Amino acid sequence: MNIAKSGYRVFSANSSVACTELAKKITERLGVELGKSVVFQESNRETRVDVKESVRGQTIFIIQTIPRDVNTAIMELLIMAYALKTSCAKNIIGVIPYFPYSKQCKMRKRGSIVSKLLASMLAKAGLTHIITMDLHQKEIQGFFSFPVDNLRASPFLIQYIQEEIPDYRNAIIVAKSPSAAKRAQSYAERLRLGLAVIHGEAQCSESDMADGRHSPPCVRNTTGHTGLELPRKQQAPFPGIELPIMMAKEKPPITVVGDVGGRIAIIVDDIIDDVGDFVAAAEILKERGAYKIYIMATHGLLSADAPRLIGDSAIDEVVVTNTVPHEVQKLQCSKIKTVDVSMILAEAIRRIHNGESMAYLFRNITVDD
């Protein structure tokens, strides 16, 4: 393809070798060259972006994979998008296989919905469209004021199960918590396998006891009667409406709903970051008689000492896609395997540029996938 006449360019928002690997695979499939740009950190840790070619009137695709330094990656994407916007690019489309801060998509205590903030920042920087994969919650799409294509990695992971796991017909799909049961059910139905759910894992480690919610309301020291209150002798010890107290949740004992004895257990999820929950789930499954344990996830963040914990655990293999660079972790642990999803990302770029329907990429995809 002649990129001078193609009407679009593909840039990488990160200059590191690990992060440009996916971008190079995508451009090779498209038959175009990676756009010329330089992204670097100055001595004071500020991010600078220099675009080395004209983008006037072009449709631009920015590929940004998220390494361990999430905040720097976000700034690189924002600054590059703004640089292209001020250089008169026609459309700026972000290809963000793993959308950062996707777990912070709900209000918790006195926190904030960071996913909504990030969506607003991307729109302000100049992005007009986003291609991503397996959002942690599909409702995140509603945070954006422009189109979002949420692709699925499940066809690639299912293909891996069918081709790379011997005797996968003797396997059972496992949800490591009730909240992951819908995703696991989707895999089980497509592979014609059974389903098991681990119940009793702590769903949230946060404690409401120390945030002041249980503090009694202050008693007002009034010296006179205003006429709007009951006399003090008729007041409750703590003035105000007395609401019924919500009973505290009690963590049930860990149980496995479903028979995993003598079978291959395949745990499926969208993100594997802190592997503690997965290691604990593998130990439970091993105790219940599973003789092999696989972990299948779209985004392999594998933070902290995840490679060591995986290597020392009962897990036989962890399979993730290349939405997030994890070459260092693979060198530290031979159990980590990678599935390439550059094919579907390249096809999404081609279809958007040519104005073709995206329905082909969502064949047989349901809401629960």
Side-chain angles (χ1 to χ4, degrees), residues 15-281:
S15 296
S16 67
V17 176
C19 294
T20 56
E21 183 179 354
L22 179 60
K24 289 179 179 177
K25 288 183 178 180
I26 292 173
T27 52
E28 286 174 4
R29 291 183 181 276
L30 291 169
V32 301
E33 295 179 4
L34 198 60
K36 296 179 177 64
S37 64
V38 178
V39 183
F40 62 95
Q41 306 292 318
E42 295 187 344
S43 57
N44 62 355
R45 303 302 298 165
E46 288 185 358
T47 299
R48 182 176 291 274
V49 173
D50 290 330
V51 180
K52 299 295 186 179
E53 58 183 283
S54 174
V55 296
R56 183 177 296 272
Q58 301 286 316
T59 296
I60 307 298
F61 293 87
I62 307 175
I63 301 173
Q64 178 65 313
T65 53
I66 307 298
R68 290 191 177 187
D69 192 351
V70 177
N71 296 327
T72 298
I74 291 172
M75 286 305 301
E76 290 170 346
L77 178 60
L78 292 171
I79 294 172
M80 175 165 277
Y82 191 68
L84 294 167
K85 177 183 177 181
T86 54
S87 298
C88 299
K90 182 180 179 181
N91 293 305
I92 304 171
I93 301 172
V95 183
I96 315 170
Y98 167 65
F99 191 75
Y101 287 99
S102 58
K103 286 189 175 181
Q104 298 189 47
C105 60
K106 296 179 181 179
M107 180 66 74
R108 295 182 184 275
K109 296 184 181 179
R110 300 181 183 91
S112 60
I113 305 176
V114 184
S115 294
K116 171 63 176 174
L117 171 64
L118 183 54
S120 301
M121 292 168 64
L122 292 172
K124 191 68 175 178
L127 266 69
T128 58
H129 195 143
I130 276 184
I131 302 170
T132 187
M133 181 168 281
D134 281 339
L135 288 170
H136 185 60
Q137 296 289 340
K138 298 173 185 63
E139 292 78 7
I140 293 175
Q141 290 176 270
F143 295 160
F144 293 87
S145 58
F146 49 77
V148 177
D149 287 310
N150 182 27
L151 304 176
R152 306 295 197 273
S154 52
F156 296 91
L157 297 175
I158 288 173
Q159 183 181 28
Y160 183 94
I161 292 172
Q162 293 172 325
E163 296 179 356
E164 301 296 333
I165 298 181
D167 195 23
Y168 83 91
R169 291 291 183 187
N170 188 37
I172 185 169
I173 304 299
V174 180
K176 71 178 180 68
S177 65
S179 61
K182 283 189 176 181
R183 182 185 301 271
Q185 181 181 357
S186 175
Y187 275 75
E189 290 175 352
R190 296 180 188 283
L191 290 165
R192 313 298 193 265
L193 299 176
L195 175 66
V197 179
I198 298 176
H199 180 55
E201 286 287 341
Q203 297 302 303
C204 183
S205 59
E206 300 177 29
S207 174
D208 291 332
M209 299 303 294
D211 74 342
R213 291 188 181 187
H214 297 285
S215 301
C218 297
V219 179
R220 291 178 294 175
N221 294 320
T222 56
T223 56
H225 180 47
T226 63
L228 299 177
E229 301 175 338
L230 292 173
R232 179 170 297 277
K233 63 180 181 180
Q234 298 181 23
Q235 289 181 4
F238 304 112
I241 300 174
E242 293 194 11
L243 300 175
I245 299 175
M246 177 65 75
M247 293 182 62
K249 291 183 179 180
E250 182 179 348
K251 181 180 175 181
I254 297 176
T255 57
V256 179
V257 181
D259 183 17
V260 299
R263 308 179 77 173
I264 301 170
I266 304 175
I267 304 175
V268 297
D269 212 337
D270 61 330
I271 299 172
I272 175 168
D273 187 4
D274 181 6
V275 299
D277 290 345
F278 291 93
V279 171

